[in-house]
Amino acid sequence: MQSFVFAIEEINKSAELLSNLTLGFSIRNSGDSVHGALYEMMGFLTGQDEPIPNYTCQYGSAQAALVGDTRSSLSVSMARLLGLYKFPQISYSSSLPSLSDKIQFPSFLRTLPSDLTSCHAVTQLIIHFQWSWVIILSQDDDFGEQASSLATQQLSAAGVCIEFHLHVPSQESLGKIEETVQKMQKCTARVVLVFLNNSNFQLILSGLLAASVSGQVWVSNGILHIAMALSIPGISQVLQGTLGLLYDCSRAIGFPDFLAHLRPSQTPEDMFIKKFWESTFDCTWPYQNSTVTEGVQVCSGNESLKNKPHSFPEVSKIDDAYTAVYSIAHALHDMIASAHQDGIDTNPQDFHHWQLLHALKKVHFKTLDGTKIMFDVNGDLVTKFDILQGQKTPTGVFHWVHVGMIDPQVSSGNKMMVQLKEDLQVGALNAEITVPTSICSESCLPGFSQVPRLGAPHCCFDCSPCPEGQFADQRDMKRCLLCPKEQYSSHTRDHCLPRTEIFLAFEEPLGFILTLMAILLAGLALLVLGVFLKHRDIPVVRANNRTLSYFLLISLSLCSLCSLLFLGRPTVTTCLLRQTTFAVVFTVAVSSVLAKTLTVVLAFRVTKPGSRIQVCLSPGASTSVILIASLIQAVLCGVWLATSPPFPERDMISEPRHIVIQCQEGSGATFFCVLGFLGFLAGGTFSVAFLARALPDVFNETKFLTFSMLLFCSVWTAFLPLYHSARGKSTVAVEIFSILASTAGLLGGIFIPKCYIILLKPEKNTPAWLRQGHCAHQDRQFSMLHRR
């Protein structure tokens, strides 16, 4: 009210603004009720103590406009009625968004932004500080419901989660207030967004102060109710770090001095000043027919507000109705000046209200402090928002510090520009006050992804490390990304690295050892072949068909050398030759062992010369076994190569960090047919050798054949699970080792004992020793038959 009076007196003293006119005013008390506001408004319009609508009994100066009311619910009722008459109304405090509707309220303007704009601005502040876990306190009236609903929508769209949305009743309810305080004690959010009136806000703060709750940041789209709450002793420790928005309005430069010289005796018609005086100076006015209680200070009326501490020192410098009065004055000035420019000589006191309303909507001026004043198409003030933070000085005085600005006019989409001072950062608003984080879950570092918690808002999550082959190169990624096929994820899973190509090379230690073993084993087989060729006429070599022994030694040498095809970088040629060469050469070796075994078995079954069994003991029959088995295997390999041959491929799966260059076997069915035939041949050979193991060992090698085939079958039986469990180049190493081990088993099991006799026990390699051994064996058989 004093701001309103100060503005009118300042304008009347101005030589530039309305120099030939004097503004008057009438202050009326609405009683904070709709009925009181409408009654006083009609009295102002009609000039009657008992107003009658559409009748006026007032003469003289015309009413130009109406300033008020404070609460939106009162302004709405007044604006509906004033809109019928196109009578200008400017409110300095009513911020309800629906008042921007010019169809319902055509004559309503306000010197502040609507809740829609201020609420949008305060949500931008929360988003700017990256607070994702907040509490909303709202009043259960139009203001609280609309503002909190709008804030919830915008915050949710920005990914901010609401831990609690607490509705506080408009009327004071200690039970509800206590319940709200108890809920806030359990909250983990550090930021509280406030849409409350003064009394409820003060009661909640008092409850939190009593419960020793602090460390929360209170964020509001205004500072008036927060400033009022500072009257509570010790409340500054709860409000420390509070952030509020103040629209960038004009400052009444001389207003603090005006208040300092205010005296009740100067304005005896002021109905509020005496109560204000008693409250401010803690004194009592002496009334007629009353005695003053001893010890009570008496108000003299000469007290001074200058340097008098009170709970809202900053508010006294802020415009309330100051800009509203200046807007009306400038509209009158522009209306009169426009009439003179058009050559119309009008009486300044005789105008239509719609004319002033038209000029008021277009008004554009600067106040004495340089603030630009203009209204948008909705009648709302075009302004910026100052960001104020409540801080305590070293002496313990709570005051507001300007820390930044929000400009709704500079926006991108739904985002307003939030600008902090250059020396301010998001983490710390100044050297003493740190803005805390308010999050439900700690941020997930690169290399981790968010895993939502069951039944919790999306802001509450756990951080899970990215699996092999995936990465997350930013914070708080919802899911990990797959690395390209040519790359693998780093140890920290925050980027991808190029994969290297690998294969079992000759140069690496394992490849070198296997190569050396293959050459040594092939050389040993050739050495044994040389021994057999040199002593080809002795009984040990001639026994059991020496031609088959030559075949077997040559094939074993080739078996060792074929393992070299599995080493080195796979090519089209080596992939075609690997398995086929291995299959054919091993078929020759196993069929040679089978032929030798059949020769021994059939030799002991010959009972008379010229029998059919004796024909089967000819050298050609043994060779036929080898040729038939090899031919069958060669046909299978030919079908395999003709239908779906092996080919080189890049294996991206076996080893995460490498690309394994290997041979893909092509047709799996044909490949297993080749291996199946070889396995069938080996199994049959072992069975025949096992059945013939009890024949006289002097004349044959059945025991050695059985033992060598047992080694052979054991190696390849163990090979199958190892081969399928191995990955990458280990599969090649397993197959090479199995080839060499089975070759060594055949070579050692069959030929080493013979070489031992040839080279170290030559006395056993004579016809006499063979006959002696034969007779001893017959005697043992005769003794066994006699006992039976």
Side-chain angles (χ1 to χ4, degrees), residues 569-584:
R569 185 184 182 92
T571 62
V572 176
T573 303
T574 56
C575 286
L576 291 173
L577 294 178
R578 273 186 182 184
Q579 301 293 356
T580 54
T581 304
F582 155 74
V584 172

Side-chain angles (χ1 to χ4, degrees), residues 257-277:
D257 292 334
F258 176 81
L259 287 178
H261 295 89
L262 188 65
R263 297 292 183 273
S265 58
Q266 296 174 354
T267 55
E269 69 279 3
D270 188 342
M271 66 187 81
F272 303 113
I273 193 167
K274 286 191 174 183
K275 289 185 178 180
F276 169 75
W277 215 259

